[in-house]
């Protein structure tokens, strides 16, 4: 069955970078893209970016200068990296599988706190 | 970017009542080539990842109870819960999957009286 499992740190120092790995199973990254979404405490969902099956990327313009999404198809892993984190980047970060019908499969979420 | 606007931001209903929530997009989500509206609804319960309920505006995801009904076309969409149950306590989000960036509405928080 389709699964997306996230791994990454829970605590990041201000001005440091955040790296999260999304390891997928049940589908190939050469056939489907993977999106990244975050949710700040008590707030809504914010789309961050996507890596398409061919390897190209699209980013939310607000984060384009400090966001990078890459992948390793052979390892079924997608890598999310955001630089220069500040307190308002504290959020739950999710990866989600791209399908024409929307985001039917999500990772479990990574709670990231930005604090010294 | 397509802006998604949901209303109300919260509502409190009793078990068995009918619930209606709205989602409006700043641009049409109708794909003229296949006549599908690229609008999805998600349910998010406390401490959980969002769950896809409805896609293409009105197609229920497999396993979703038939009390969840999506409707609408173009720029105006509605999610109806025909008879709300206690387990429907959650936040509900709409999302356009018509274009990138895949924008979400601000959400509707459903509370059970």
């Amino acid at each position: 069955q389709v699964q997306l499992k996230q791994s990454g740190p829970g605590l990041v120092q201000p001005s440091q970078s955040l790296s999260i790995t999304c390891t997928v199973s049940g589908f190939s990254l050469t056939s489907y893209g993977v999106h990244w979404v975050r949710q700040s405490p008590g707030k809504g969902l914010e789309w961050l970016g996507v890596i398409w099956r061919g390897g190209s990327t699209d980013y939310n313009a607000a984060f384009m200068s400090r966001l990078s999404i890459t992948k390793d198809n052979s390892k079924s892993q997608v890598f999310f990296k955001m630089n220069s984190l500040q307190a308002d980047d504290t959020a739950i970060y999710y990866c989600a599988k791209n399908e024409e019908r929307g985001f039917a499969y999500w990772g479990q979420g990574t709670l990231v706190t930005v604090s010294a | 970017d397509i802006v998604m606007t949901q209303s109300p931001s919260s509502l409190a209903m009793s078990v068995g009542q009918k619930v209606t929530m709205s989602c409006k997009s700043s641009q049409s989500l109708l794909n003229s080539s296949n006549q599908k509206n690229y609008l999805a609804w998600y349910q998010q319960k406390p401490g959980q990842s969002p769950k896809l309920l409805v896609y293409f505006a009105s197609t229920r995801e497999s396993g979703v109870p038939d009390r969840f009904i999506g409707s609408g076309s173009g720029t105006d969409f509605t999610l109806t819960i025909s008879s709300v149950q206690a387990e429907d306590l959650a936040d509900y989000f709409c999302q356009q999957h018509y274009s990138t960036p895949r924008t979400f509405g601000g959400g509707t928080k459903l509370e059970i009286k």
Side-chain angles (χ1 to χ4, degrees), chain A residues 6-14 17-21 85-87 89-93 109-116:
Chain A
Q6 300 176 220
S7 57
L11 181 66
V12 176
Q13 305 267 351
S17 62
L18 167 66
S19 293
I20 303 173
T21 298
L85 264 69
Q86 300 301 324
D89 292 312
T90 293
I92 300 173
Y93 289 75
T110 300
L111 175 59
V112 176
T113 301
V114 182
S115 174

PDB file of all heavy atoms in Angstrom, chain A residues 6-14 17-21 85-87 89-93 109-116:
ATOM      1  N   GLN A   6       8.038  10.314   7.014  1.00  0.00           N
ATOM      2  CA  GLN A   6       8.904  11.483   7.133  1.00  0.00           C
ATOM      3  C   GLN A   6       9.896  11.315   8.266  1.00  0.00           C
ATOM      4  O   GLN A   6       9.591  10.718   9.302  1.00  0.00           O
ATOM      5  CB  GLN A   6       8.062  12.741   7.384  1.00  0.00           C
ATOM      6  CG  GLN A   6       7.082  13.046   6.287  1.00  0.00           C
ATOM      7  CD  GLN A   6       6.206  14.229   6.609  1.00  0.00           C
ATOM      8  OE1 GLN A   6       5.016  14.241   6.323  1.00  0.00           O
ATOM      9  NE2 GLN A   6       6.787  15.272   7.183  1.00  0.00           N
ATOM     10  N   SER A   7      11.076  11.859   8.061  1.00  0.00           N
ATOM     11  CA  SER A   7      12.074  11.858   9.128  1.00  0.00           C
ATOM     12  C   SER A   7      12.812  13.189   9.088  1.00  0.00           C
ATOM     13  O   SER A   7      13.148  13.699   8.007  1.00  0.00           O
ATOM     14  CB  SER A   7      13.049  10.701   8.958  1.00  0.00           C
ATOM     15  OG  SER A   7      13.681  10.752   7.692  1.00  0.00           O
ATOM     16  N   GLY A   8      13.037  13.719  10.272  1.00  0.00           N
ATOM     17  CA  GLY A   8      13.720  15.005  10.359  1.00  0.00           C
ATOM     18  C   GLY A   8      13.708  15.502  11.788  1.00  0.00           C
ATOM     19  O   GLY A   8      13.021  14.944  12.652  1.00  0.00           O
ATOM     20  N   PRO A   9      14.459  16.551  12.053  1.00  0.00           N
ATOM     21  CA  PRO A   9      14.580  17.066  13.418  1.00  0.00           C
ATOM     22  C   PRO A   9      13.324  17.785  13.877  1.00  0.00           C
ATOM     23  O   PRO A   9      12.583  18.334  13.069  1.00  0.00           O
ATOM     24  CB  PRO A   9      15.748  18.051  13.303  1.00  0.00           C
ATOM     25  CG  PRO A   9      15.651  18.546  11.894  1.00  0.00           C
ATOM     26  CD  PRO A   9      15.195  17.359  11.072  1.00  0.00           C
ATOM     27  N   GLY A  10      13.120  17.782  15.177  1.00  0.00           N
ATOM     28  CA  GLY A  10      11.980  18.492  15.719  1.00  0.00           C
ATOM     29  C   GLY A  10      12.305  19.909  16.120  1.00  0.00           C
ATOM     30  O   GLY A  10      11.416  20.738  16.256  1.00  0.00           O
ATOM     31  N   LEU A  11      13.589  20.186  16.341  1.00  0.00           N
ATOM     32  CA  LEU A  11      14.018  21.491  16.834  1.00  0.00           C
ATOM     33  C   LEU A  11      15.094  22.045  15.921  1.00  0.00           C
ATOM     34  O   LEU A  11      16.058  21.354  15.584  1.00  0.00           O
ATOM     35  CB  LEU A  11      14.553  21.370  18.263  1.00  0.00           C
ATOM     36  CG  LEU A  11      15.026  22.658  18.945  1.00  0.00           C
ATOM     37  CD1 LEU A  11      13.849  23.603  19.159  1.00  0.00           C
ATOM     38  CD2 LEU A  11      15.699  22.328  20.270  1.00  0.00           C
ATOM     39  N   VAL A  12      14.909  23.285  15.516  1.00  0.00           N
ATOM     40  CA  VAL A  12      15.884  23.964  14.659  1.00  0.00           C
ATOM     41  C   VAL A  12      16.210  25.312  15.289  1.00  0.00           C
ATOM     42  O   VAL A  12      15.302  26.024  15.756  1.00  0.00           O
ATOM     43  CB  VAL A  12      15.319  24.159  13.231  1.00  0.00           C
ATOM     44  CG1 VAL A  12      16.299  24.963  12.374  1.00  0.00           C
ATOM     45  CG2 VAL A  12      15.003  22.817  12.581  1.00  0.00           C
ATOM     46  N   GLN A  13      17.479  25.657  15.283  1.00  0.00           N
ATOM     47  CA  GLN A  13      17.903  26.956  15.814  1.00  0.00           C
ATOM     48  C   GLN A  13      17.546  28.059  14.821  1.00  0.00           C
ATOM     49  O   GLN A  13      17.557  27.849  13.605  1.00  0.00           O
ATOM     50  CB  GLN A  13      19.424  26.958  16.022  1.00  0.00           C
ATOM     51  CG  GLN A  13      19.953  25.840  16.885  1.00  0.00           C
ATOM     52  CD  GLN A  13      20.071  26.242  18.333  1.00  0.00           C
ATOM     53  OE1 GLN A  13      19.907  27.404  18.662  1.00  0.00           O
ATOM     54  NE2 GLN A  13      20.381  25.285  19.197  1.00  0.00           N
ATOM     55  N   PRO A  14      17.216  29.241  15.318  1.00  0.00           N
ATOM     56  CA  PRO A  14      16.939  30.370  14.411  1.00  0.00           C
ATOM     57  C   PRO A  14      18.131  30.614  13.488  1.00  0.00           C
ATOM     58  O   PRO A  14      19.285  30.495  13.899  1.00  0.00           O
ATOM     59  CB  PRO A  14      16.745  31.545  15.379  1.00  0.00           C
ATOM     60  CG  PRO A  14      16.276  30.917  16.639  1.00  0.00           C
ATOM     61  CD  PRO A  14      16.995  29.602  16.730  1.00  0.00           C
ATOM     62  N   SER A  17      19.094  25.800   9.023  1.00  0.00           N
ATOM     63  CA  SER A  17      18.292  25.194   7.969  1.00  0.00           C
ATOM     64  C   SER A  17      17.546  23.967   8.483  1.00  0.00           C
ATOM     65  O   SER A  17      17.940  23.356   9.476  1.00  0.00           O
ATOM     66  CB  SER A  17      19.179  24.805   6.785  1.00  0.00           C
ATOM     67  OG  SER A  17      20.121  23.843   7.178  1.00  0.00           O
ATOM     68  N   LEU A  18      16.461  23.640   7.799  1.00  0.00           N
ATOM     69  CA  LEU A  18      15.633  22.483   8.100  1.00  0.00           C
ATOM     70  C   LEU A  18      15.750  21.482   6.963  1.00  0.00           C
ATOM     71  O   LEU A  18      15.618  21.867   5.790  1.00  0.00           O
ATOM     72  CB  LEU A  18      14.170  22.919   8.235  1.00  0.00           C
ATOM     73  CG  LEU A  18      13.117  21.814   8.254  1.00  0.00           C
ATOM     74  CD1 LEU A  18      13.262  20.956   9.498  1.00  0.00           C
ATOM     75  CD2 LEU A  18      11.716  22.410   8.162  1.00  0.00           C
ATOM     76  N   SER A  19      15.997  20.225   7.317  1.00  0.00           N
ATOM     77  CA  SER A  19      16.033  19.153   6.315  1.00  0.00           C
ATOM     78  C   SER A  19      15.103  18.035   6.752  1.00  0.00           C
ATOM     79  O   SER A  19      15.206  17.546   7.870  1.00  0.00           O
ATOM     80  CB  SER A  19      17.455  18.615   6.153  1.00  0.00           C
ATOM     81  OG  SER A  19      18.308  19.584   5.582  1.00  0.00           O
ATOM     82  N   ILE A  20      14.190  17.652   5.870  1.00  0.00           N
ATOM     83  CA  ILE A  20      13.259  16.559   6.116  1.00  0.00           C
ATOM     84  C   ILE A  20      13.330  15.605   4.930  1.00  0.00           C
ATOM     85  O   ILE A  20      13.369  16.036   3.771  1.00  0.00           O
ATOM     86  CB  ILE A  20      11.807  17.064   6.280  1.00  0.00           C
ATOM     87  CG1 ILE A  20      11.704  18.090   7.405  1.00  0.00           C
ATOM     88  CG2 ILE A  20      10.862  15.884   6.552  1.00  0.00           C
ATOM     89  CD1 ILE A  20      10.332  18.739   7.497  1.00  0.00           C
ATOM     90  N   THR A  21      13.338  14.317   5.238  1.00  0.00           N
ATOM     91  CA  THR A  21      13.309  13.283   4.200  1.00  0.00           C
ATOM     92  C   THR A  21      11.943  12.609   4.209  1.00  0.00           C
ATOM     93  O   THR A  21      11.416  12.283   5.268  1.00  0.00           O
ATOM     94  CB  THR A  21      14.407  12.233   4.434  1.00  0.00           C
ATOM     95  OG1 THR A  21      15.680  12.868   4.370  1.00  0.00           O
ATOM     96  CG2 THR A  21      14.339  11.130   3.376  1.00  0.00           C
ATOM     97  N   LEU A  85      15.691  29.620   8.851  1.00  0.00           N
ATOM     98  CA  LEU A  85      14.411  29.516   9.570  1.00  0.00           C
ATOM     99  C   LEU A  85      14.302  30.541  10.682  1.00  0.00           C
ATOM    100  O   LEU A  85      15.292  30.875  11.364  1.00  0.00           O
ATOM    101  CB  LEU A  85      14.236  28.110  10.143  1.00  0.00           C
ATOM    102  CG  LEU A  85      13.410  27.164   9.245  1.00  0.00           C
ATOM    103  CD1 LEU A  85      14.162  26.829   7.991  1.00  0.00           C
ATOM    104  CD2 LEU A  85      12.990  25.941  10.021  1.00  0.00           C
ATOM    105  N   GLN A  86      13.077  31.026  10.860  1.00  0.00           N
ATOM    106  CA  GLN A  86      12.762  31.945  11.948  1.00  0.00           C
ATOM    107  C   GLN A  86      11.593  31.389  12.744  1.00  0.00           C
ATOM    108  O   GLN A  86      11.000  30.368  12.375  1.00  0.00           O
ATOM    109  CB  GLN A  86      12.446  33.336  11.392  1.00  0.00           C
ATOM    110  CG  GLN A  86      13.586  33.968  10.596  1.00  0.00           C
ATOM    111  CD  GLN A  86      14.861  34.129  11.412  1.00  0.00           C
ATOM    112  OE1 GLN A  86      14.818  34.415  12.620  1.00  0.00           O
ATOM    113  NE2 GLN A  86      16.008  33.936  10.774  1.00  0.00           N
ATOM    114  N   ALA A  87      11.240  32.068  13.829  1.00  0.00           N
ATOM    115  CA  ALA A  87      10.197  31.565  14.729  1.00  0.00           C
ATOM    116  C   ALA A  87       8.871  31.313  14.008  1.00  0.00           C
ATOM    117  O   ALA A  87       8.153  30.357  14.320  1.00  0.00           O
ATOM    118  CB  ALA A  87       9.993  32.537  15.881  1.00  0.00           C
ATOM    119  N   ASP A  89       8.422  30.117  11.229  1.00  0.00           N
ATOM    120  CA  ASP A  89       8.486  28.882  10.435  1.00  0.00           C
ATOM    121  C   ASP A  89       8.141  27.663  11.284  1.00  0.00           C
ATOM    122  O   ASP A  89       8.128  26.533  10.773  1.00  0.00           O
ATOM    123  CB  ASP A  89       9.873  28.704   9.814  1.00  0.00           C
ATOM    124  CG  ASP A  89      10.170  29.741   8.743  1.00  0.00           C
ATOM    125  OD1 ASP A  89       9.310  29.958   7.875  1.00  0.00           O
ATOM    126  OD2 ASP A  89      11.274  30.341   8.782  1.00  0.00           O
ATOM    127  N   THR A  90       7.880  27.876  12.570  1.00  0.00           N
ATOM    128  CA  THR A  90       7.424  26.795  13.436  1.00  0.00           C
ATOM    129  C   THR A  90       6.099  26.264  12.901  1.00  0.00           C
ATOM    130  O   THR A  90       5.133  27.020  12.750  1.00  0.00           O
ATOM    131  CB  THR A  90       7.263  27.287  14.879  1.00  0.00           C
ATOM    132  OG1 THR A  90       8.553  27.605  15.414  1.00  0.00           O
ATOM    133  CG2 THR A  90       6.599  26.230  15.743  1.00  0.00           C
ATOM    134  N   ALA A  91       6.063  24.962  12.600  1.00  0.00           N
ATOM    135  CA  ALA A  91       4.890  24.386  11.948  1.00  0.00           C
ATOM    136  C   ALA A  91       5.038  22.875  11.860  1.00  0.00           C
ATOM    137  O   ALA A  91       6.097  22.317  12.150  1.00  0.00           O
ATOM    138  CB  ALA A  91       4.729  24.956  10.537  1.00  0.00           C
ATOM    139  N   ILE A  92       3.964  22.229  11.456  1.00  0.00           N
ATOM    140  CA  ILE A  92       4.025  20.819  11.055  1.00  0.00           C
ATOM    141  C   ILE A  92       4.228  20.804   9.546  1.00  0.00           C
ATOM    142  O   ILE A  92       3.471  21.452   8.808  1.00  0.00           O
ATOM    143  CB  ILE A  92       2.742  20.074  11.437  1.00  0.00           C
ATOM    144  CG1 ILE A  92       2.507  20.128  12.943  1.00  0.00           C
ATOM    145  CG2 ILE A  92       2.833  18.616  10.976  1.00  0.00           C
ATOM    146  CD1 ILE A  92       1.172  19.546  13.378  1.00  0.00           C
ATOM    147  N   TYR A  93       5.226  20.079   9.109  1.00  0.00           N
ATOM    148  CA  TYR A  93       5.543  19.968   7.683  1.00  0.00           C
ATOM    149  C   TYR A  93       5.123  18.589   7.187  1.00  0.00           C
ATOM    150  O   TYR A  93       5.435  17.576   7.810  1.00  0.00           O
ATOM    151  CB  TYR A  93       7.039  20.193   7.450  1.00  0.00           C
ATOM    152  CG  TYR A  93       7.450  21.633   7.670  1.00  0.00           C
ATOM    153  CD1 TYR A  93       7.570  22.155   8.955  1.00  0.00           C
ATOM    154  CD2 TYR A  93       7.699  22.482   6.598  1.00  0.00           C
ATOM    155  CE1 TYR A  93       7.932  23.482   9.165  1.00  0.00           C
ATOM    156  CE2 TYR A  93       8.062  23.810   6.793  1.00  0.00           C
ATOM    157  CZ  TYR A  93       8.161  24.299   8.081  1.00  0.00           C
ATOM    158  OH  TYR A  93       8.509  25.622   8.287  1.00  0.00           O
ATOM    159  N   GLY A 109       3.603  13.812   9.035  1.00  0.00           N
ATOM    160  CA  GLY A 109       3.878  15.160   9.508  1.00  0.00           C
ATOM    161  C   GLY A 109       5.108  15.204  10.393  1.00  0.00           C
ATOM    162  O   GLY A 109       5.388  14.248  11.139  1.00  0.00           O
ATOM    163  N   THR A 110       5.852  16.292  10.296  1.00  0.00           N
ATOM    164  CA  THR A 110       7.023  16.535  11.135  1.00  0.00           C
ATOM    165  C   THR A 110       6.822  17.863  11.850  1.00  0.00           C
ATOM    166  O   THR A 110       6.723  18.907  11.197  1.00  0.00           O
ATOM    167  CB  THR A 110       8.311  16.600  10.286  1.00  0.00           C
ATOM    168  OG1 THR A 110       8.502  15.365   9.604  1.00  0.00           O
ATOM    169  CG2 THR A 110       9.526  16.880  11.174  1.00  0.00           C
ATOM    170  N   LEU A 111       6.711  17.815  13.157  1.00  0.00           N
ATOM    171  CA  LEU A 111       6.564  19.033  13.944  1.00  0.00           C
ATOM    172  C   LEU A 111       7.934  19.681  14.108  1.00  0.00           C
ATOM    173  O   LEU A 111       8.838  19.083  14.685  1.00  0.00           O
ATOM    174  CB  LEU A 111       5.952  18.733  15.303  1.00  0.00           C
ATOM    175  CG  LEU A 111       5.855  19.921  16.274  1.00  0.00           C
ATOM    176  CD1 LEU A 111       5.030  21.056  15.684  1.00  0.00           C
ATOM    177  CD2 LEU A 111       5.296  19.473  17.613  1.00  0.00           C
ATOM    178  N   VAL A 112       8.077  20.875  13.586  1.00  0.00           N
ATOM    179  CA  VAL A 112       9.344  21.596  13.643  1.00  0.00           C
ATOM    180  C   VAL A 112       9.161  22.846  14.488  1.00  0.00           C
ATOM    181  O   VAL A 112       8.287  23.670  14.211  1.00  0.00           O
ATOM    182  CB  VAL A 112       9.814  21.975  12.224  1.00  0.00           C
ATOM    183  CG1 VAL A 112      11.078  22.819  12.293  1.00  0.00           C
ATOM    184  CG2 VAL A 112      10.031  20.728  11.387  1.00  0.00           C
ATOM    185  N   THR A 113       9.974  22.953  15.517  1.00  0.00           N
ATOM    186  CA  THR A 113       9.969  24.136  16.376  1.00  0.00           C
ATOM    187  C   THR A 113      11.259  24.898  16.144  1.00  0.00           C
ATOM    188  O   THR A 113      12.357  24.309  16.211  1.00  0.00           O
ATOM    189  CB  THR A 113       9.865  23.740  17.853  1.00  0.00           C
ATOM    190  OG1 THR A 113       8.654  22.991  18.049  1.00  0.00           O
ATOM    191  CG2 THR A 113       9.839  24.965  18.745  1.00  0.00           C
ATOM    192  N   VAL A 114      11.140  26.176  15.864  1.00  0.00           N
ATOM    193  CA  VAL A 114      12.317  27.021  15.662  1.00  0.00           C
ATOM    194  C   VAL A 114      12.528  27.809  16.951  1.00  0.00           C
ATOM    195  O   VAL A 114      11.736  28.670  17.318  1.00  0.00           O
ATOM    196  CB  VAL A 114      12.134  27.981  14.475  1.00  0.00           C
ATOM    197  CG1 VAL A 114      13.407  28.813  14.274  1.00  0.00           C
ATOM    198  CG2 VAL A 114      11.802  27.198  13.218  1.00  0.00           C
ATOM    199  N   SER A 115      13.610  27.465  17.637  1.00  0.00           N
ATOM    200  CA  SER A 115      13.869  28.089  18.928  1.00  0.00           C
ATOM    201  C   SER A 115      15.328  27.903  19.312  1.00  0.00           C
ATOM    202  O   SER A 115      15.952  26.894  18.973  1.00  0.00           O
ATOM    203  CB  SER A 115      12.979  27.480  20.009  1.00  0.00           C
ATOM    204  OG  SER A 115      13.304  27.982  21.295  1.00  0.00           O
ATOM    205  N   ALA A 116      15.840  28.897  20.049  1.00  0.00           N
ATOM    206  CA  ALA A 116      17.214  28.791  20.529  1.00  0.00           C
ATOM    207  C   ALA A 116      17.275  27.925  21.790  1.00  0.00           C
ATOM    208  O   ALA A 116      18.343  27.574  22.267  1.00  0.00           O
ATOM    209  CB  ALA A 116      17.766  30.184  20.808  1.00  0.00           C
TER     210      ALA A 116
END
